[in-house]
Amino acid sequence: PCMAAGLLWVRQHAPRDALDYLFPLTVVALLAGVLGQYSADAIVETGRITLYQGLVGGSNMFGSMLAMCAPFLLWQTYSRWRNRRQRAIWLSLSGLGLYYLLAAGSRSAILIVLFTLLGLFLSLGVNRKVHIGGLLLGLFACGIILLPDKFEQLQRQFIYKQATEKQGVLYTRRDVWAESYKLAKEGGWFGAGYGVTIGD
């Protein structure tokens, strides 16, 4: 059904408007960020991190909403690049979405957006790929040379989630997954229902 709905939408709308179905979600996600508040501190062994969840129940859910909006924001920015005023508007909205995505700290959502950007990059012509690729490599090299401490800080914050390198990338997930797996086995084939925790 979703594939059929998608094909019908594309047939009835111009290619430039193909992602407009994401507009309502984008409005809701950005408003949830602007009007939201910080979630409770997540305490890990190496310190405290604060994850932003806006008006959404959980920073990962907020991050996934922003990741779903990313194609729409990026497409609008790209397709309206030649109009200076529209470019400024869509760049600002994309920047706002990126800001909240990083504030949410959802690694999976950040990866989704990175792959979306990679898809956009691969769809560009050779000349643009060379220009953008050279610019990104230059910025990355300058960042490593001029701000090495910042890269370590970003690595701790977004990759290790304040865990140590020895504890590993999945440190904040291992116990949660183990508990989830244990309860899933207790629930059997049919479980206890959506949103129900075995034993509660």
Side-chain angles (χ1 to χ4, degrees):
C2 290
M3 181 67 76
L7 289 170
L8 181 63
W9 177 273
V10 171
R11 282 194 192 120
Q12 293 180 348
H13 295 78
R16 181 171 173 165
D17 305 326
L19 295 176
D20 283 1
Y21 69 94
L22 290 170
F23 175 73
L25 177 64
T26 303
V27 171
V28 169
L30 292 179
L31 280 177
V34 172
L35 302 175
Q37 57 187 357
Y38 279 98
S39 64
D41 286 347
I43 301 171
V44 294
E45 193 174 315
T46 56
R48 295 169 68 85
I49 55 173
T50 303
L51 303 175
Y52 191 71
Q53 65 178 4
L55 295 176
V56 182
S59 58
N60 283 328
M61 177 62 77
F62 183 45
S64 70
M65 287 175 65
L66 292 164
M68 286 185 265
C69 300
F72 175 74
L73 289 169
L74 290 170
W75 173 244
Q76 294 301 326
T77 304
Y78 175 76
S79 64
R80 288 166 167 76
W81 191 259
R82 292 185 178 169
N83 185 314
R84 185 175 294 179
R85 187 175 171 215
Q86 290 185 6
R87 176 175 62 194
I89 291 169
W90 288 106
L91 265 177
S92 300
L93 291 173
S94 296
L96 187 65
L98 178 63
Y99 169 78
Y100 285 126
L101 179 71
L102 295 176
S106 173
R107 291 177 291 192
S108 55
I110 291 170
L111 274 174
I112 290 168
V113 173
L114 286 175
F115 277 109
T116 303
L117 283 166
L118 178 63
L120 175 62
F121 177 76
L122 293 175
S123 71
L124 298 174
V126 176
N127 287 339
R128 283 192 178 177
K129 280 182 190 171
V130 170
H131 287 137
I132 293 173
L135 180 65
L136 290 175
L137 281 173
L139 288 172
F140 186 71
C142 287
I144 288 177
I145 293 166
L146 299 174
L147 302 166
D149 295 345
K150 285 288 183 188
F151 276 87
E152 287 181 25
Q153 183 183 343
L154 290 172
Q155 182 182 359
R156 283 196 307 272
Q157 184 176 350
F158 293 110
I159 297 177
Y160 291 108
K161 285 282 185 94
Q162 300 298 341
T164 63
E165 197 169 334
K166 185 178 178 182
Q167 289 167 327
V169 175
L170 300 178
Y171 173 71
T172 59
R173 287 280 165 248
R174 265 193 217 105
D175 292 342
V176 178
W177 286 344
E179 180 70 14
S180 181
Y181 180 62
K182 176 187 164 193
L183 294 176
K185 287 198 296 186
E186 288 180 20
W189 286 101
F190 297 103
Y194 179 73
V196 177
T197 301
I198 301 289
D200 282 358

